[in-house]
Amino acid sequence: MCTFFEALHHIVVNFAPEKQGKVTETYSYLGNASAEAIDNLYQQYKEDPESVDFGWRKFFEGFDFQQTNFEKGSAIPESTLREFKVINLINAYRSRGHLFTKTNPVRVRRQYSPTLEIVNFGLSTTDLKVVFQAGEEIGIGPATLESIIDHLELTYCQSIGIEYTYIREPHRVDWIRNRIELKNRPTFSKEMKLSILKKLNQATAFEQYIQKKFVGQKRFSIEGGESLISALHSLVVKGVDMGIEQFVIGMAHRGRLNALAHILDKPYEHIFSEFLGNQFDDEGVFDGDVKYHLGYSKTVTTEKGRTAHVTLCPNPSHLEAVNPIVTGLARAKIDHSLHDEKKIVPILVHGDAAIAGQGIAYEVVQMAQLDGYRAGGTIHIVVNNQIGFTTNYLDARSSTYCTDVAKTTLCPVFHVNSDDVEAVIQTIQIALDYRQEFNRDVFIDLLGYRKYGHNEGDEPKFTQPKLYHIIASHPNPRAIYLNQLIEEKVVDKAYGEKIFNDLNALLDTKFDESKDIEKSQIKNFLAETWQDYKPATKADFEQSPDTSYNENKLLSQANKLSHLPNGKKFFRKTQKLIADRLKMVENDSLDWAMAEMLAFSSLLEEGKNIRMSGQDVERGTFSNRHAVLKTEDTEEEIIPLNSIAEKQGKFQIYNSLLSEYGVLGFDYGYAFGTPKDLTVWEAQFGDFFNGAQIIIDQFITAAEDKWRIMNGLVMLLPHGYEGMGSEHSSARIERFLQSSAELNIQVCNCTTPANYFHLLRRQLHRTFRKPLVVFTPKKLLRYPKAVSTIKDLALGRFQEVIDDPVADPKKVKTVVLLSGKLYYEILEAKELMKSKNDVALVRVEQLYPLPEKQLDEIIKKYGKDASYVWAQEEPENMGAWSYMFRMFRKVNLDLVANVASASPAPGSSQLSEIRQKEVIDGVLNYKKNK
């Protein structure tokens, strides 16, 4: 009798495709398998045949069948070998069938080798009529090879191509396989077909109408990809039937107006009014944005009378930048209102060039399954024009597909011909089912084309003349589908003409109505969420609100934060850390970290929720926060801030992946959905924020002026010159101040724990919300003089300006305005000199909005005859100097700083110390320039 391994070796050696001399690629999973692993699988089969995969079960059945008469050295029956060859063919279709599909409506597909020809699998045409048991593997029972191939071709090589075999979880692979192999192409009802045609008709007629009425105006038409609208509509309709309550969509400009009109029901007349160029209301105060960037929200009603809330987030022209905003907003809704990932679906509509070229796409995909950033799975739809602005797809990526980023996290990808709208609908429905089943991302590559250039005024034949010659004569998806329905006798030609003409008549009416709209309106796309908040005015910033807090409650919270839970084993340094916290409380000398913890605990006790995320925030970059304590033996996580009171808000803190762009965008989106709560993002070092510059420039500093939306995100940026080089010194204060205007953000640099405490509390004790940028300290975290008392925290409010507590205005000749840790360094030197009573150190804790009222009081106190100096540790061309020189004009302001520099700070710690001393000496020995 032949042993199992001998039989296995015989099959692998004689059956492997490379043995045939036809191909260089091995299809056989047997050839790559470990004999020991297969033996273990065989033993598992012997115990329970149903516990192993169907293919292996059939393999072992064949082995057992012939084991009774298979003598050592004799050949395995040819029929058995051919069964395995057919199984290999089936697996090849599953893994590579997507390379041989009919998914491209306007181009011939690239050729890939080896093909799926049966000769490459050791089979021949004489096998086509032979019945193989392998048909069981694809759900059609014993069947001829010809029937098996027909089924595989229909499943894997028509209008839909599928990539999924790389997924490492068998139950997900089996789910997809069963869904596509056993059900294959569905048959839609007449009602469904008419609904699909209706959306195609709307998408097509709308684009053609605008092209006719607004010749040459940019609209970024969806023509060539109209089936997107049918897909989105189908997704919403099916989703509502499945119990989904909300959808959050992010998409770029292409097709956006069409989606606004036909998915979110934005009135046609409002869209036309924007084309007419009507001014926005509040013109001169509010700048607004172009029509294809605007957001919108609407509770839409399906044909069955069911409702869902659909939100389209506003976005800039920076492609893919909206992605983390969408997922962050969706997560906020999950955390605070829906409490179920299956009740909301984020949808991201990408361009093919953008998803392949923009790194943020990768960041967001990588975030999708992380505890702090998951949103239950995103449905990604790529409107694949097969071209960038003018760049051919072959020049736009190295990967085979634009969607190959999906494979980094083992997401399934469906490639579908956008001209085959029923295939598109089938794909979107499978994708939604998959997302709801597994709460994971899924990608749909919608292969179509772009009828015009990048915009309607651009000429594409300069760069793609052959492609656009084909496109010029190619029928649109509506015409293709209408002809299909006519052939199926679902409708006739007259019906198609009628629905097209009826919609054009409606568009004419709405166009006439648009002429009566004097001013276009941009409304907050989350108006319902933000209904309790009003835009800020200059008067709102004249004085901070009272943020005092009961002293006894603070002491109680401080004690709770300064004790470890009983019965848990902690690292000795953790024990010392908590003991030191208790000493701070007992000595009434609170450091920066303790003040922050108490700001959080006081807000939590008031019922506010807090979310904080960023790189290493749980411990803190500088081992300063320790918001999460871990037991030494089990690494159980203890969060003291969640044990402050019986009824308190929830504190969530997450170490992020090593990303600024994606994570800051996510937290900004999260803050959109939680105006009543505190959302905090912290950079590992402030210098690294510029990895997220697009989020800052396009959203944080400009969103309210463009889209009339508020946001209360807090950004903590560690900043300070301490000899750590150019990458660990500066959070680029100058960049934020240069972007400050129209009360868009708040920029602060505190010098005391108490003021930081009140600043954080102030963020939730106002009737409006503004992004808050805080330049946080490093040196001051443990600096002996940078401490506050419990009473400092319990009483008062945030101080925009802190005057010199000991200066005598009668003796002061030089008033030094400054912010941050430089204050303490100059103070130290001043105290050593003892004779420098003529210098007053005035801390500007809030840089923007500039606290004019408080600075006026400083001028009044010290008089205009005194010299006024702005001192900073940053070089002259950086820091707050240019801003202060421009904004603070009531006195002649001089500067003490290092000379202008291309780099923020020197790499040498000695040189850094020399330069810092020069600034300090320059302040204390200042002589007014004549």
Side-chain angles (χ1 to χ4, degrees):
M1 297 290 289
C2 177
T3 67
F4 178 82
F5 289 119
E6 288 170 337
L8 176 64
H9 176 74
H10 182 85
I11 291 171
V12 171
V13 169
N14 291 282
F15 165 61
E18 58 265 37
K19 181 75 174 179
Q20 313 300 322
K22 300 291 185 181
V23 297
T24 57
E25 180 174 334
T26 299
Y27 291 122
S28 174
Y29 55 78
L30 295 175
N32 295 322
S34 158
E36 183 179 355
I38 296 174
D39 190 37
N40 292 335
L41 198 62
Y42 178 63
Q43 297 307 319
Q44 180 182 330
Y45 160 79
K46 296 293 286 184
E47 293 179 12
D48 179 10
E50 296 298 321
S51 68
V52 301
D53 182 76
F54 178 86
W56 282 111
R57 188 161 69 247
K58 291 299 177 184
F59 170 72
F60 293 138
E61 285 175 1
F63 175 76
D64 286 346
F65 172 75
Q66 56 158 331
Q67 199 170 20
T68 57
N69 58 15
F70 181 55
E71 296 297 329
K72 183 174 182 180
S74 63
I76 295 176
E78 179 63 25
S79 60
T80 302
L81 287 176
R82 283 190 296 170
E83 285 285 352
F84 285 112
K85 292 174 182 180
V86 175
I87 289 177
N88 253 11
L89 175 65
I90 290 170
N91 285 328
Y93 268 93
R94 289 168 173 167
S95 62
R96 300 183 76 247
H98 59 87
L99 297 172
F100 308 100
T101 57
K102 301 171 184 175
T103 50
N104 200 319
V106 292
R107 275 182 166 139
V108 176
R109 287 217 59 175
R110 286 180 283 181
Q111 300 300 304
Y112 295 93
S113 180
T115 67
L116 298 175
E117 294 293 329
I118 58 175
V119 67
N120 291 328
F121 299 86
L123 297 164
S124 68
T125 55
T126 59
D127 295 313
L128 291 174
K129 300 299 182 182
V130 177
V131 174
F132 289 92
Q133 297 300 313
E136 295 275 7
E137 173 77 354
I138 55 176
I140 63 174
T144 64
L145 177 59
E146 188 173 51
S147 296
I148 291 171
I149 292 172
D150 286 345
H151 187 82
L152 292 170
E153 283 285 325
L154 191 62
T155 302
Y156 290 105
C157 297
Q158 297 302 305
S159 293
I160 303 172
I162 311 160
E163 295 183 273
Y164 70 100
T165 55
Y166 46 77
I167 295 173
R168 295 173 190 147
E169 295 172 342
H171 66 287
R172 285 203 284 146
V173 174
D174 289 344
W175 187 95
I176 296 171
R177 181 182 299 164
N178 292 336
R179 185 63 185 267
I180 60 180
E181 289 183 354
L182 303 185
K183 295 184 179 180
N184 217 292
R185 288 292 292 268
T187 301
F188 292 119
S189 66
K190 179 178 178 180
E191 178 187 22
M192 182 66 171
K193 290 174 182 285
L194 291 176
S195 175
I196 295 170
L197 179 61
K198 177 183 177 181
K199 283 299 167 185
L200 277 180
N201 186 67
Q202 288 177 337
T204 304
F206 178 76
E207 296 290 1
Q208 292 180 3
Y209 189 86
I210 294 177
Q211 177 75 0
K212 178 177 64 177
K213 287 292 185 182
F214 305 102
V215 179
Q217 282 208 44
K218 292 180 182 180
R219 70 179 190 278
F220 297 98
S221 160
I222 193 61
E223 289 170 274
E226 292 94 332
S227 55
L228 170 70
I229 303 303
S230 294
L232 290 173
H233 176 256
S234 174
L235 195 157
V236 172
V237 170
K238 179 178 174 64
V240 171
D241 289 343
M242 297 174 72
I244 296 168
E245 298 176 8
Q246 296 194 38
F247 298 86
V248 183
I249 304 173
M251 67 184 299
H253 36 279
R254 188 153 316 283
R256 189 180 185 88
L257 297 178
N258 218 310
L260 282 166
H262 303 123
I263 304 302
L264 290 96
D265 296 337
K266 182 173 181 177
Y268 289 130
E269 61 270 24
H270 291 177
I271 296 173
F272 293 155
S273 172
E274 293 160 3
F275 272 99
L276 292 170
N278 293 336
Q279 291 185 341
F280 298 114
D281 56 340
D282 299 333
E283 191 78 20
V285 177
F286 174 67
D287 287 329
D289 202 355
V290 292
K291 50 193 167 290
Y292 38 80
H293 286 173
L294 304 179
Y296 202 75
S297 283
K298 183 74 179 290
T299 298
V300 299
T301 304
T302 68
E303 289 90 337
K304 295 180 181 179
R306 298 186 175 122
T307 60
H309 192 75
V310 184
T311 296
L312 177 63
C313 291
N315 72 284
S317 285
H318 290 65
L319 300 174
E320 307 293 324
V322 76
N323 297 2
I325 312 296
V326 168
T327 52
L329 175 58
R331 174 59 180 264
K333 290 174 177 285
I334 292 167
D335 284 352
H336 298 288
S337 59
L338 299 174
H339 308 295
D340 185 349
E341 290 180 345
K342 295 188 187 299
K343 290 185 177 180
I344 186 170
V345 175
I347 304 167
L348 292 176
V349 182
H350 311 269
D352 53 309
I355 194 172
Q358 294 294 313
I360 187 62
Y362 171 82
E363 292 187 31
V364 171
V365 167
Q366 197 62 266
M367 294 164 71
Q369 291 299 311
L370 300 180
D371 286 345
Y373 307 94
R374 59 176 294 124
T378 298
I379 294 179
H380 301 263
I381 304 174
V382 180
V383 179
N384 191 340
N385 301 314
Q386 307 180 62
I387 189 173
F389 193 135
T390 65
T391 302
N392 191 289
Y393 74 99
L394 293 172
D395 298 320
R397 61 180 184 266
S398 298
S399 59
T400 301
Y401 296 113
C402 62
T403 51
D404 279 350
V405 65
K407 298 173 187 173
T408 60
T409 52
L410 308 180
C411 301
V413 180
F414 296 83
H415 306 278
V416 57
N417 188 324
S418 67
D419 273 359
D420 187 346
V421 67
E422 289 191 3
V424 173
I425 300 303
Q426 178 192 5
T427 301
I428 202 77
Q429 292 184 347
I430 295 173
L432 182 58
D433 286 341
Y434 176 89
R435 188 272 180 187
Q436 292 299 89
E437 178 72 21
F438 299 108
N439 290 113
R440 286 179 170 269
D441 287 19
V442 56
F443 285 71
I444 298 170
D445 179 15
L446 192 63
L447 277 105
Y449 55 92
R450 190 184 67 196
K451 184 173 181 179
Y452 304 102
H454 175 66
N455 60 65
E456 287 65 33
D458 193 52
E459 176 53 74
K461 289 184 179 179
F462 283 127
T463 50
Q464 282 83 24
K466 289 176 64 177
L467 174 62
Y468 274 86
H469 178 73
I470 296 170
I471 290 172
S473 59
H474 189 79
N476 63 48
R478 176 192 180 276
I480 293 171
Y481 193 55
L482 178 60
N483 287 335
Q484 176 185 325
L485 297 190
I486 292 171
E487 288 180 8
E488 294 174 359
K489 301 190 184 311
V490 175
V491 300
D492 56 21
K493 185 177 179 181
Y495 178 86
E497 292 175 351
K498 183 179 185 305
I499 61 174
F500 190 83
N501 293 335
D502 287 350
L503 183 54
N504 269 278
L506 174 62
L507 293 172
D508 279 334
T509 300
K510 297 302 180 182
F511 176 72
D512 290 338
E513 291 177 12
S514 71
K515 297 175 184 178
D516 297 327
I517 300 175
E518 294 183 1
K519 290 188 176 183
S520 297
Q521 290 188 343
I522 296 179
K523 296 181 179 179
N524 185 340
F525 80 109
L526 294 172
E528 185 176 336
T529 303
W530 287 82
Q531 60 185 344
D532 296 332
Y533 300 88
K534 65 175 185 66
T537 65
K538 189 175 181 180
D540 289 320
F541 286 96
E542 288 186 356
Q543 186 181 53
S544 291
D546 182 5
T547 46
S548 58
Y549 189 79
N550 184 279
E551 185 173 342
N552 289 330
K553 285 186 177 181
L554 274 180
L555 284 169
S556 173
Q557 292 167 18
N559 274 287
K560 289 179 180 178
L561 294 171
S562 303
H563 286 86
L564 292 169
N566 295 325
K568 308 281 186 183
K569 184 179 180 182
F570 290 93
F571 178 47
R572 60 181 179 80
K573 288 187 177 180
T574 301
Q575 296 175 33
K576 181 181 185 303
L577 169 79
I578 299 303
D580 289 344
R581 279 186 187 173
L582 184 60
K583 288 179 183 178
M584 276 188 231
V585 178
E586 293 171 346
N587 296 334
D588 199 16
S589 181
L590 308 179
D591 69 4
W592 204 272
M594 194 63 180
E596 179 186 80
M597 295 285 275
L598 290 172
F600 290 159
S601 67
S602 65
L603 290 170
L604 291 166
E605 193 273 337
E606 292 172 344
K608 310 297 185 184
N609 299 304
I610 298 173
R611 172 191 167 90
M612 185 176 200
S613 92
Q615 294 161 30
D616 313 300
V617 295
E618 294 180 7
R619 192 204 73 171
T621 301
F622 313 102
S623 197
N624 54 301
R625 181 169 293 116
H626 296 279
V628 178
L629 306 175
K630 289 193 177 184
T631 58
E632 188 174 23
D633 48 357
T634 65
E635 292 194 355
E636 176 189 356
E637 293 189 347
I638 309 294
I639 302 178
L641 282 167
N642 279 327
S643 302
I644 296 299
E646 285 188 21
K647 295 182 179 180
Q648 67 165 82
K650 185 176 181 180
F651 180 74
Q652 300 178 84
I653 186 165
Y654 301 102
N655 286 341
S656 75
L657 70 165
L658 199 65
S659 153
E660 287 79 33
Y661 191 172
V663 177
L664 179 59
F666 186 98
D667 286 331
Y668 180 78
Y670 193 96
F672 268 145
T674 55
K676 292 180 172 61
D677 301 319
L678 190 68
T679 304
V680 183
W681 175 80
E682 182 176 59
Q684 188 184 70
F685 282 82
D687 314 59
F688 303 155
F689 84 87
N690 56 9
Q693 194 71 54
I694 289 174
I695 297 296
I696 293 161
D697 290 345
Q698 310 310 317
F699 291 95
I700 291 174
T701 62
E704 188 169 2
D705 191 38
K706 293 190 294 186
W707 306 318
R708 206 189 293 279
I709 52 177
M710 287 182 279
N711 193 292
L713 177 70
V714 177
M715 293 176 63
L716 303 182
L717 307 178
H719 173 91
Y721 283 58
E722 293 152 10
M724 296 180 69
S726 61
E727 313 302 325
H728 298 84
S729 298
S730 175
R732 297 285 191 170
I733 292 174
E734 65 279 0
R735 294 187 182 174
F736 290 94
L737 294 177
Q738 186 182 39
S739 299
S740 299
E742 300 178 305
L743 306 178
N744 61 337
I745 59 174
Q746 306 161 97
V747 180
C748 298
N749 190 2
C750 301
T751 57
T752 72
N755 221 25
Y756 179 52
F757 168 90
H758 288 290
L759 178 63
L760 291 174
R761 285 183 51 76
R762 182 182 79 167
Q763 192 70 354
L764 295 187
H765 282 265
R766 283 172 156 171
T767 57
F768 61 89
R769 294 289 181 264
K770 296 283 181 184
L772 170 62
V773 181
V774 187
F775 298 100
T776 53
K778 294 172 286 183
K779 176 178 178 177
L780 299 190
L781 293 173
R782 296 176 177 83
Y783 190 70
K785 290 189 176 182
V787 293
S788 300
T789 66
I790 282 285
K791 195 171 291 294
D792 292 334
L793 274 60
L795 301 177
R797 53 174 52 85
F798 174 71
Q799 299 178 72
E800 291 84 355
V801 175
I802 300 178
D803 192 8
D804 192 319
V806 298
D808 182 349
K810 295 179 181 178
K811 298 179 180 179
V812 168
K813 296 179 180 178
T814 303
V815 179
V816 180
L817 304 177
L818 73 175
S819 70
K821 76 172 182 67
L822 183 62
Y823 162 75
Y824 289 100
E825 292 170 342
I826 296 176
L827 180 63
E828 268 189 16
K830 179 183 174 185
E831 289 174 344
L832 288 173
M833 294 176 72
K834 295 183 179 179
S835 60
K836 278 296 176 183
N837 297 326
D838 60 345
V839 176
L841 302 179
V842 178
R843 288 166 275 175
V844 183
E845 305 276 291
Q846 178 175 290
L847 293 164
Y848 186 82
L850 191 67
E852 296 179 15
K853 180 180 177 182
Q854 291 85 341
L855 289 173
D856 285 346
E857 290 296 319
I858 295 296
I859 296 172
K860 182 178 178 181
K861 176 179 177 179
Y862 295 107
K864 289 192 174 183
D865 290 336
S867 297
Y868 287 82
V869 173
W870 175 259
Q872 64 181 38
E873 55 186 353
E874 301 85 4
E876 179 181 349
N877 59 322
M878 301 177 191
W881 163 241
S882 59
Y883 164 80
M884 290 298 296
F885 181 74
R886 178 168 56 89
M887 298 295 293
F888 188 54
R889 305 304 294 269
K890 294 184 179 180
V891 295
N892 291 321
L893 191 63
D894 204 353
L895 171 69
V896 175
N898 285 306
V899 297
S901 173
S903 174
S908 163
S909 58
Q910 289 185 354
L911 181 57
S912 177
E913 187 176 339
I914 290 169
R915 289 183 179 177
Q916 199 78 345
K917 187 176 185 303
E918 288 174 352
V919 172
I920 295 169
D921 291 345
V923 167
L924 296 178
N925 298 308
Y926 174 77
K927 292 183 179 180
K928 188 173 183 179
N929 294 323
K930 300 296 182 181

